[in-house]
Amino acid sequence: MLLGSVEAGGTKFVCAVGDENYRTKDIVSFPTTTPAETLQKTIDYFRQFDIKALSVASFGPIELRRNDPKYGYITNTPKPNWADTDFIGTLKEAFDIPMFWTTDVNGSAYGEYVMSTLTNERINSLVYYTIGTGVGAGAIIDGDFLGEMGHPEMGHVRLKRHPDDLDFNGICPFHGDCLEGLVAGPTFEARTGKPGKEVPLTDHVWDIMAYYVAQAALQVTLIMRPGKIIFGGGVVSEPFLKKVRQQFSELLNDYVNVGNLDDYIAMPAIKHNGSATLGNFALALRELQA
Amino acid sequence: MLLGSVEAGGTKFVCAVGDENYRTKDIVSFPTTTPAETLQKTIDYFRQFDIKALSVASFGPIELRRNDPKYGYITNTPKPNWADTDFIGTLKEAFDIPMFWTTDVNGSAYGEYVMSTLTNERINSLVYYTIGTGVGAGAIIDGDFLGEMGHPEMGHVRLKRHPDDLDFNGICPFHGDCLEGLVAGPTFEARTGKPGKEVPLTDHVWDIMAYYVAQAALQVTLIMRPGKIIFGGGVVSEPFLKKVRQQFSELLNDYVNVGNLDDYIAMPAIKHNGSATLGNFALALRELQA
């Protein structure tokens, strides 16, 4: 049996076909252009296969409350041309099959959750952050997604400012110095004039970044008490997470027990940005069996 | 049928007996002294009634993971004499009936959740904060409590500091300027030399307090997207919540929709600090029927 996965990012789409054991059989990617063109490419791709169900993990914000008239839409995104796009409606016209619809980070979170069940890690709740062009996060509790009023927007929480960073106003157009405004990839350019790739980990700016990311981890720890917090995205590396764990430890001050910190704050278990694709296969299967 | 409720606070215990419709039939309170004396008073109280089940909502930290050997204990509390107290074990020796065990704020959150079902408000997820001597919060999602690794400790998140409050170091012995260290009742003495009751709402210190409490509401909004956030405790009043809503609105900047703000950020629906007692009756009944 074949299942479809769409990871709809603001820069590129990754479409894949897999089986009920979540093995990828085929995968393509193409740039995100206009909705009409990009969704048509998506439809053309899946027309080659006899897929039984499909899951889409999309950039947002999106409407995912099933009782809302705009369910299946990308809503008020600032991305040109994409606001108010009926994503699922367009796909449903081409394929009359069960479809699941969630955010990109929820898809990744679900993939990591499924992987934890396969590896017997037995995590019942986890948070998946991506730190790249923007900052987003999805959360799973007992196999379900968090969010009654809509999906989380954890990238926009406020944080205690680092004493050596008080002059930086942040780059979020909505909130200035929220988490995204302080640690998204483009903050390197804004702070140092250089892209992140050219800033060595010995640079103090990485300590400042780690301080903020550690606070994000601290917030979800104290609010949700999840089993695990995963960080993905272009800004994240294992050496950077070492710094994050150290700052997290100092901030938490042993107040609650999170188990082994190297397991608790970790990179994705699924490599090569594959978390959302695997998550989509599992969600498509779940939707088919619902 | 009679059900028992223990609201175990650090200052006083409130014990009550109610029926399966959550109506209070009898209620007493007494000061929290030593564990031996206070638990004996609790047992003596309930010996007067033929209760079929009991729920305890306790100050903490507590162990509430049922598979932990210390389940039913108050654990590493700084409160003298109470660390490592086997609360449920002691009660079980006296009463061989089903017992539920959770935190004081979880009990209150559950009471408000149950009330929202009775009033047809249809809230599936909510957060209950108490701001008094300390700051704590409990959270309900679809009738269950949040927290795989233990109960939330939302009182100890870090916040962006108010520009007019940068000289105040906060009073939390563990974290300095965490939420509790910045807005718990005793911060009035620390900031102004006067108890909170004597500081009029026109004093700027209330704006500073509202800024921090609004950030707490913002964090759980963006992380959990709950249906409602309730604030109780001695520091909270309706005029204060007006200030909180205004600051929340500015911080959120319309980024997500939370519905009517007066409904979203609100005082408890159950008056006279009765949320935990009602919650306990419902939890005792649930435990009996489990």
Side-chain angles (χ1 to χ4, degrees):
Chain A
M1 185 179 57
L2 294 181
L3 303 160
S5 162
V6 181
E7 187 183 3
T11 310
K12 64 172 180 177
F13 271 43
V14 178
C15 295
V17 169
D19 64 18
E20 67 271 33
N21 297 315
Y22 318 137
R23 285 195 188 83
T24 300
K25 297 295 183 183
D26 194 78
I27 188 163
V28 294
S29 92
F30 41 84
T32 308
T33 58
T34 63
E37 185 178 53
T38 319
L39 294 181
Q40 190 57 50
K41 275 192 184 171
T42 304
I43 290 167
D44 292 345
Y45 173 72
F46 287 112
R47 282 230 164 97
Q48 307 173 80
F49 307 95
D50 180 27
I51 55 171
K52 299 300 181 200
L54 177 72
S55 175
V56 180
S58 176
F59 72 96
I62 70 173
E63 182 54 68
L64 42 59
R65 292 171 298 178
R66 292 198 191 229
N67 59 353
D68 193 284
K70 294 279 184 178
Y71 173 77
Y73 279 63
I74 293 178
T75 58
N76 57 337
T77 177
K79 188 173 171 62
N81 304 313
W82 282 85
D84 208 36
T85 294
D86 184 6
F87 202 125
I88 291 296
T90 305
L91 294 187
K92 279 268 184 186
E93 279 176 25
F95 306 104
D96 184 22
I97 56 174
M99 290 187 193
F100 192 82
W101 168 244
T102 194
T103 63
D104 43 8
V105 277
N106 270 353
S108 295
Y110 201 79
E112 291 292 318
Y113 169 76
V114 168
M115 185 52 71
S116 86
T117 64
L118 298 177
T119 60
N120 288 321
E121 204 180 354
R122 296 174 198 282
I123 302 293
N124 291 319
S125 55
L126 64 79
V127 179
Y128 183 104
Y129 280 94
T130 183
I131 307 179
T133 315
V135 178
I140 308 281
I141 296 178
D142 294 332
D144 277 320
F145 295 109
L146 195 60
E148 177 182 352
M149 304 277 273
H151 55 79
E153 287 284 1
M154 304 194 199
H156 298 274
V157 293
R158 302 305 200 283
L159 304 159
K160 185 176 177 187
R161 296 298 305 271
H162 192 288
D164 302 337
D165 191 48
L166 297 176
D167 293 337
F168 181 58
N169 292 326
I171 62 167
C172 174
F174 298 97
H175 312 108
D177 65 347
C178 64
L179 176 61
E180 178 169 299
L182 291 172
V183 306
T187 59
F188 283 103
E189 286 272 0
R191 278 199 186 90
T192 69
K194 287 186 288 190
K197 283 176 210 171
E198 297 178 17
V199 181
L201 263 161
T202 49
D203 192 307
H204 185 47
V205 73
W206 282 104
D207 300 322
I208 292 168
M209 299 280 284
Y211 179 70
Y212 295 134
V213 173
Q215 277 190 66
L218 186 76
Q219 286 183 2
V220 294
T221 296
L222 297 173
I223 289 174
M224 285 182 53
R225 304 295 306 275
K228 185 166 193 161
I229 306 174
I230 296 164
F231 287 97
V235 170
V236 177
S237 64
E238 187 54 40
F240 174 60
L241 283 195
K242 275 209 175 70
K243 287 177 184 285
V244 171
R245 290 187 198 106
Q246 191 182 336
Q247 302 251 22
F248 175 87
S249 217
E250 285 173 28
L251 286 164
L252 186 63
N253 195 14
D254 281 331
Y255 201 71
V256 299
N257 181 10
V258 297
N260 182 326
L261 199 51
D262 290 340
D263 296 329
Y264 183 66
I265 293 180
M267 304 267 291
I270 304 166
K271 304 306 174 195
H272 308 303
N273 303 313
S275 307
T277 300
L278 192 148
N280 273 332
F281 292 150
L283 289 164
L285 186 63
R286 190 177 86 166
E287 189 69 13
L288 186 65
Q289 294 170 339
Chain B
M1 184 177 59
L2 293 180
L3 303 160
S5 163
V6 182
E7 186 183 3
T11 309
K12 65 172 180 178
F13 271 43
V14 178
C15 295
V17 169
D19 65 18
E20 67 272 34
N21 297 313
Y22 317 137
R23 286 193 187 83
T24 300
K25 298 294 184 182
D26 194 77
I27 187 162
V28 295
S29 91
F30 41 84
T32 308
T33 58
T34 63
E37 186 178 50
T38 318
L39 294 180
Q40 190 57 51
K41 275 192 184 171
T42 303
I43 290 166
D44 292 345
Y45 172 72
F46 287 112
R47 284 231 163 98
Q48 307 171 80
F49 307 95
D50 181 26
I51 55 171
K52 299 299 181 201
L54 177 72
S55 175
V56 180
S58 177
F59 71 96
I62 70 173
E63 183 53 68
L64 41 61
R65 291 172 298 178
R66 292 199 191 229
N67 60 354
D68 193 284
K70 293 280 183 178
Y71 172 78
Y73 279 63
I74 293 179
T75 58
N76 56 337
T77 178
K79 188 172 171 63
N81 305 313
W82 282 85
D84 208 35
T85 294
D86 184 7
F87 202 125
I88 291 296
T90 305
L91 294 188
K92 279 270 184 187
E93 279 176 26
F95 306 104
D96 184 22
I97 55 174
M99 289 186 194
F100 192 82
W101 168 245
T102 195
T103 62
D104 43 9
V105 277
N106 269 353
S108 295
Y110 201 77
E112 291 292 318
Y113 169 75
V114 168
M115 185 52 71
S116 86
T117 64
L118 298 176
T119 60
N120 287 321
E121 205 179 355
R122 297 175 196 279
I123 302 295
N124 291 320
S125 56
L126 63 79
V127 178
Y128 183 103
Y129 280 93
T130 183
I131 307 178
T133 314
V135 177
I140 309 281
I141 296 178
D142 294 333
D144 277 320
F145 295 109
L146 195 60
E148 176 180 353
M149 303 277 272
H151 54 80
E153 287 285 2
M154 304 194 200
H156 299 276
V157 292
R158 302 307 198 286
L159 305 159
K160 186 177 177 188
R161 296 298 304 270
H162 192 288
D164 302 337
D165 192 48
L166 297 176
D167 292 339
F168 182 58
N169 291 325
I171 62 168
C172 174
F174 297 96
H175 313 108
D177 65 349
C178 64
L179 176 63
E180 178 169 299
L182 291 172
V183 306
T187 58
F188 283 103
E189 285 272 359
R191 279 200 187 90
T192 70
K194 288 186 288 189
K197 283 175 212 172
E198 296 178 18
V199 180
L201 263 161
T202 49
D203 193 306
H204 185 48
V205 73
W206 281 105
D207 300 322
I208 292 168
M209 299 278 283
Y211 179 70
Y212 295 134
V213 173
Q215 278 189 66
L218 186 77
Q219 285 183 2
V220 295
T221 295
L222 296 173
I223 290 174
M224 284 182 55
R225 304 295 307 273
K228 184 167 193 160
I229 306 174
I230 296 163
F231 288 97
V235 169
V236 177
S237 64
E238 187 53 39
F240 174 61
L241 283 195
K242 274 207 177 69
K243 287 177 184 284
V244 171
R245 290 187 198 105
Q246 191 183 335
Q247 303 251 21
F248 175 86
S249 217
E250 285 173 28
L251 286 164
L252 186 61
N253 195 14
D254 281 331
Y255 200 72
V256 299
N257 181 9
V258 297
N260 182 323
L261 199 52
D262 289 340
D263 296 331
Y264 183 65
I265 293 180
M267 304 266 294
I270 304 165
K271 304 306 174 195
H272 309 301
N273 303 314
S275 307
T277 299
L278 193 149
N280 273 332
F281 291 151
L283 288 164
L285 186 62
R286 190 177 88 165
E287 189 69 14
L288 186 65
Q289 295 169 339

